[in-house]
């Protein structure tokens, strides 16, 4: 038997294929006990056929009206593979967009600390044209003796910030026991680097009705990141934003090594939007702007960046947060490169 839920074949219909033709193929697959995932694009409609390989081989797929090509899927990732979707995926949240020609500018504090700090930051980033507001409520800290986040109280503050500024909220989920609270409050659920291969958590958010911002693990390969995304997609949630945030290497001059090559690879390998976190990669604020510019130039679909009204006194990641007083200028510089790349702020 094939792996449950993983397409074995891509059935490609041309742009001129009618919905009757698409329905006909889906109905034949259905009769044979094979699941179908239909993705309609501008140039083609792609049906991912999910089921027993031998059974699939008995169907005259190439002969069905409208079918142009039948291709086996050779990569370990399937639902997130470039080939499965004719067009790049655009994630839309409350009228804000990330992907294809839309550059997402996600900004906010590392952690939600106080009401004033959160609202002040939200106002600044909204004013500068940010796409969404970030802010950690549950924090994955290396030391158990440091600030762990305000938890549910922070979710309330983020909601207040959204109400005032209209910015959708991105916040991290660390624990399956918090799924309900985070899904109810957040517009986009962040899965952090440290939970990037927490497969149970990935399946949980795969069943949630909210987009997922999935960070690359500290030591994950590109393929491992895509397989993590596959866990989410397999449960039915294909609204996923991938995030390169730097990896562990021998180099210690930066906190992590920002792997911009991976961004270029991911843009080839997947239809999902790919953003960059220059803050955690840099680990120091003077490097955040050059890395953010480079991210825009390499073709990333956005950035997620940390900013704080008084970064030196921040309760987490003090060294890397840029002061909100500099955020407007920062946003303008990054936007200029994104515009050169043919993107507009989503
Ligand atoms: C964060 O976004 O604050 C964070 C902890 O990021 P990462 O999971 O990439 O370390
Ligand atoms: Mn942080």
């Amino acid at each position: 038997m094939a792996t449950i839920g993983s397409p074995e074949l891509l059935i490609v219909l041309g742009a001129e294929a009618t919905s009757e033709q698409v329905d006909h193929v889906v109905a034949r697959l259905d009769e044979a006990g094979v699941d179908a995932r239909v993705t309609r694009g501008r140039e083609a409609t792609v049906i991912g056929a999910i089921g027993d390989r031998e059974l699939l081989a008995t169907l005259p797929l190439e002969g069905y009206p409208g079918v142009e090509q039948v291709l086996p899927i050779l990569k370990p990732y399937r639902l997130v593979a470039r080939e499965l979707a004719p067009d790049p995926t655009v994630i839309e949240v409350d009228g804000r967009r990330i992907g294809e020609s839309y550059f997402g500018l996600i900004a906010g504090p590392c952690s939600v600390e106080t009401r004033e700090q959160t609202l002040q930051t939200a106002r600044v980033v909204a004013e500068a044209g940010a796409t969404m507001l970030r802010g950690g409520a549950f924090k994955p800290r290396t030391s158990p003796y440091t600030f762990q986040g305000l938890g549910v109280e922070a979710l309330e503050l983020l909601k207040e910030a959204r109400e005032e500024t209209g910015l959708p909220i991105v916040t991290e989920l660390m624990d399956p026991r918090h799924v309900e609270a985070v899904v109810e409050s957040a517009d986009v659920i962040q899965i952090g680097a440290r939970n990037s291969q927490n497969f149970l958590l990935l399946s949980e958010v795969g069943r949630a009705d909210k987009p997922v911002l999935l960070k690359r693990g500290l030591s994950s390969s590109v393929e491992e990141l895509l397989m993590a995304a596959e866990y989410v997609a397999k449960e039915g949630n294909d609204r996923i934003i991938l995030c390169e945030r730097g990896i562990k290497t021998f180099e210690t001059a930066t906190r992590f090594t920002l792997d911009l090559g991976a961004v270029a690879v991911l843009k080839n390998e997947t239809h999902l939007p790919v953003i960059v976190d220059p803050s955690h990669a840099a680990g120091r604020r003077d490097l955040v702007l050059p890395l953010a510019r480079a991210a825009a130039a390499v073709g990333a679909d956005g950035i997620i960046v940390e900013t704080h009204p008084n970064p030196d006194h921040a309760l987490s990641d003090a060294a890397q947060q840029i002061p909100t007083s500099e955020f407007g200028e920062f946003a303008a510089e990054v936007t200029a490169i994104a515009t050169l790349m043919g993107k507009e702020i989503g």
Side-chain angles (χ1 to χ4, degrees), residues 24-44:
H24 174 257
V25 178
V26 173
R28 298 290 80 73
L29 291 170
D30 197 45
E31 278 166 13
V34 173
D35 280 344
R37 278 188 197 236
V38 181
T39 318
R40 287 168 213 272
R42 286 187 294 268
E43 306 287 319

Side-chain angles (χ1 to χ4, degrees), residues 332-345:
E333 295 221 25
V334 179
T335 303
I337 312 272
T339 307
L340 276 178
M341 294 298 294
K343 293 185 190 271
E344 58 182 288
I345 301 296

Side-chain angles (χ1 to χ4, degrees), residues 111-256:
S111 300
V112 170
E113 299 172 5
T114 65
R115 180 167 182 270
E116 204 35 51
Q117 169 245 11
T118 305
L119 295 180
Q120 206 180 323
T121 309
R123 286 176 201 131
V124 169
V125 305
E127 178 69 21
T131 311
M132 297 185 198
L133 176 71
R134 65 149 287 148
F138 299 97
K139 295 303 299 177
R141 304 304 303 282
T142 302
S143 165
Y145 304 114
T146 54
F147 179 62
Q148 303 285 305
L150 296 180
V152 176
E153 191 189 332
L155 297 177
E156 293 305 315
L157 295 174
L158 287 169
K159 284 200 262 187
E160 195 179 337
R162 173 177 56 204
E163 215 146 280
E164 191 188 310
T165 61
L167 290 175
I169 300 301
V170 183
T171 198
E172 180 166 353
L173 170 71
M174 296 211 306
D175 185 330
R177 289 169 296 188
H178 299 143
V179 170
E180 220 178 289
V182 172
V183 169
E184 189 263 315
S185 311
D187 299 288
V188 175
I189 308 165
Q190 179 174 326
I191 299 293
R194 289 154 191 85
N195 270 313
S196 188
Q197 286 190 305
N198 181 337
F199 302 117
L200 297 177
L201 193 61
L202 293 171
S203 297
E204 280 293 335
V205 296
R207 290 185 285 272
D209 189 22
K210 287 283 162 78
V212 175
L213 193 165
L214 175 62
K215 290 198 162 188
R216 182 181 183 183
L218 310 182
S219 304
S220 284
S221 64
V222 167
E223 186 171 305
E224 285 165 334
L225 172 60
L226 289 167
M227 293 311 287
E230 193 76 19
Y231 266 91
V232 179
K234 179 175 172 292
E235 296 303 318
N237 188 355
D238 53 8
R239 292 195 293 164
I240 306 165
I241 301 165
L242 300 174
C243 180
E244 160 61 34
R245 46 77 73 211
I247 51 174
K248 290 226 184 207
T249 68
F250 59 86
E251 182 57 76
T252 54
T254 49
R255 186 178 178 192
F256 295 96

Side-chain angles (χ1 to χ4, degrees), residues 110 134 139 280 306 317 320:
C110 176
R134 65 149 287 148
K139 295 303 299 177
H280 290 87
E306 291 185 342
D317 289 345
Q320 72 197 29

